[in-house]
């Protein structure tokens, strides 16, 4: 097993189980912000819909590492971030994040507690860059009949989702279990707390404008993100939100 991270953003950078890498990580590193790849955390805003910076700021914040415990069968990381009121975000919140790697699975658990005296609403989630040898040869299953919003106004929904050289950006408005498959690898993805799936790949053309992504690396990942995007989540004082992503690895030995 292999698990690496950065306390900046509590970002999982690499996870390897059964000698299989779960995440893509760009070879171009810009130290002033979140690294491209791994699993960034998005809060208190998803994407650019809102008044804050894109995907919020906790991915660019230094988290406190509370635990780093491992043995031959498991590895546990626990991070903590306290958010105090500012001019732009006049609330208090405590974020804790557990990463649990087991022999055949990885579990990501984000807890958000309103520690202030006022309500606040948020969007966000997790932004995994799942590694694939070629996005042109991978498939995603489990999304048929789920309503979605497509950036490019596509309206058809396939039994098995496949990808091309073009950018793909589609928000599915349910959180049903789905499967990512490539070669002899199947990743079963289950989420709780979050309520939608965002699926994204920049494609060949957009990648050329992304300074922290090698031109040909668009083919090496697919982002499948458990998120809260369409409808903000209200958190009252003292309330706690729990969101999780469970990744189970299956190797088909044929």
């Amino acid at each position: 097993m292999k698990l690496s991270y950065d306390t900046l953003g509590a970002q999982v950078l690499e996870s390897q189980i059964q000698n299989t890498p779960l995440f893509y990580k760009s070879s171009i590193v810009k130290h002033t912000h979140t690294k491209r790849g791994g699993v960034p955390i998005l809060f208190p805003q998803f994407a650019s819909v809102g008044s804050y910076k894109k995907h919020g700021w906790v991915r660019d914040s230094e988290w406190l590492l509370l635990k780093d415990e491992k043995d031959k069968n498991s590895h546990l990381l626990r991070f903590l971030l306290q958010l105090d009121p500012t001019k732009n975000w006049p609330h208090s919140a405590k974020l804790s994040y557990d990463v649990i790697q087991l022999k055949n699975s990885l579990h990501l658990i984000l807890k958000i507690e309103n520690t202030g005296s006022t309500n606040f609403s948020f969007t966000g989630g997790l932004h995994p860059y799942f590694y694939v040898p070629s996005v042109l040869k991978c498939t995603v299953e489990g999304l048929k009949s789920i309503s979605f919003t497509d950036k490019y106004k596509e309206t058809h929904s396939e039994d098995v989702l496949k990808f091309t050289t073009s950018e793909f950006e589609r928000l599915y408005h349910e959180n049903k279990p789905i499967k990512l498959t490539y070669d002899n690898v199947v990743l079963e993805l289950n989420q709780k707390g979050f309520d939608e799936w965002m699926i994204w790949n920049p494609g060949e053309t957009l990648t050329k404008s992304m300074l922290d992504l090698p031109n040909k690396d668009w083919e090496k990942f697919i982002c499948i993100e458990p998120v809260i995007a369409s409808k903000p989540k209200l958190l009252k004082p003292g309330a706690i939100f729990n969101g999780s992503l469970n990744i189970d690895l299956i190797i088909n030995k044929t």
Side-chain angles (χ1 to χ4, degrees):
M1 293 194 302
K2 182 178 182 180
L3 182 63
S4 66
Y5 62 88
D6 193 331
T7 53
L8 181 66
Q11 186 176 2
V12 173
L13 298 176
E14 297 175 282
S15 175
Q16 184 171 298
I17 52 181
Q18 293 193 50
N19 296 316
T20 301
L22 295 185
F23 306 118
Y24 164 84
K25 184 178 68 171
S26 175
S27 59
I28 300 175
V29 178
K30 299 176 75 64
H31 294 284
T32 56
H33 62 76
T34 307
K35 297 175 178 63
R36 176 74 64 179
V39 189
I41 299 173
L42 316 180
F43 179 86
Q45 177 177 295
F46 177 76
S48 299
V49 182
S51 58
Y52 308 124
K53 65 183 294 186
K54 183 177 181 180
H55 288 326
W57 61 83
V58 304
R59 64 179 184 155
D60 298 316
S61 300
E62 190 69 26
W63 292 56
L64 177 64
L65 179 65
L66 297 180
K67 287 187 178 181
D68 185 350
E69 301 174 350
K70 59 182 175 180
D71 56 34
K72 64 178 182 179
N73 296 313
S74 65
H75 194 165
L76 166 66
L77 303 173
R78 177 165 294 164
F79 301 91
L80 177 69
L81 178 66
Q82 180 67 49
L83 294 179
D84 297 318
T86 66
K87 179 180 179 181
N88 294 324
W89 199 73
H91 309 287
S92 295
K94 182 172 70 175
L95 279 63
S96 62
Y97 184 50
D98 283 2
V99 178
I100 306 170
Q101 182 172 267
L102 303 175
K103 183 179 179 180
N104 299 310
S105 61
L106 183 71
H107 307 273
L108 307 174
I109 305 165
L110 178 64
K111 181 185 293 185
I112 302 168
E113 180 179 0
N114 184 344
T115 57
S117 58
T118 58
N119 297 343
F120 66 78
S121 295
F122 69 92
T123 56
L126 305 176
H127 196 315
Y129 287 71
F130 287 102
Y131 167 78
V132 291
S134 172
V135 72
L136 302 176
K137 298 178 181 179
C138 77
T139 61
V140 177
E141 300 175 69
L143 296 166
K144 182 175 173 56
S145 78
I146 297 177
S147 63
F148 60 83
T149 302
D150 191 292
K151 180 179 179 180
Y152 298 100
K153 309 302 181 184
E154 295 286 344
T155 58
H156 60 281
S157 182
E158 306 85 354
D159 290 339
V160 178
L161 195 60
K162 298 181 181 180
F163 306 93
T164 69
T165 61
S166 300
E167 181 184 1
F168 187 97
E169 183 174 322
R170 187 178 286 183
L171 179 66
Y172 286 86
H173 304 303
E174 290 187 38
N175 61 357
K176 292 181 179 179
I178 59 178
K179 291 182 180 180
L180 169 63
T181 302
Y182 64 87
D183 297 337
N184 65 331
V185 173
V186 178
L187 295 180
E188 295 185 340
L189 309 179
N190 291 271
Q191 59 157 307
K192 293 182 179 179
F194 308 109
D195 50 29
E196 296 173 295
W197 290 109
M198 168 60 81
I199 301 184
W200 175 75
N201 178 274
E204 188 173 22
T205 300
L206 179 61
T207 299
K208 295 176 183 179
S209 65
M210 302 171 71
L211 300 181
D212 58 354
L213 188 63
N215 284 346
K216 295 183 179 180
D217 277 18
W218 63 272
E219 194 175 347
K220 296 181 180 179
F221 67 85
I222 182 68
C223 290
I224 305 177
E225 312 163 35
V227 297
I228 295 168
S230 300
K231 185 179 180 180
K233 186 79 68 175
L234 175 67
L235 211 58
K236 297 180 179 180
I240 298 174
F241 165 82
N242 287 282
S244 64
L245 172 64
N246 298 320
I247 305 164
D248 292 290
L249 172 65
I250 299 172
I251 302 293
N252 291 324
K253 298 178 180 179
T254 57

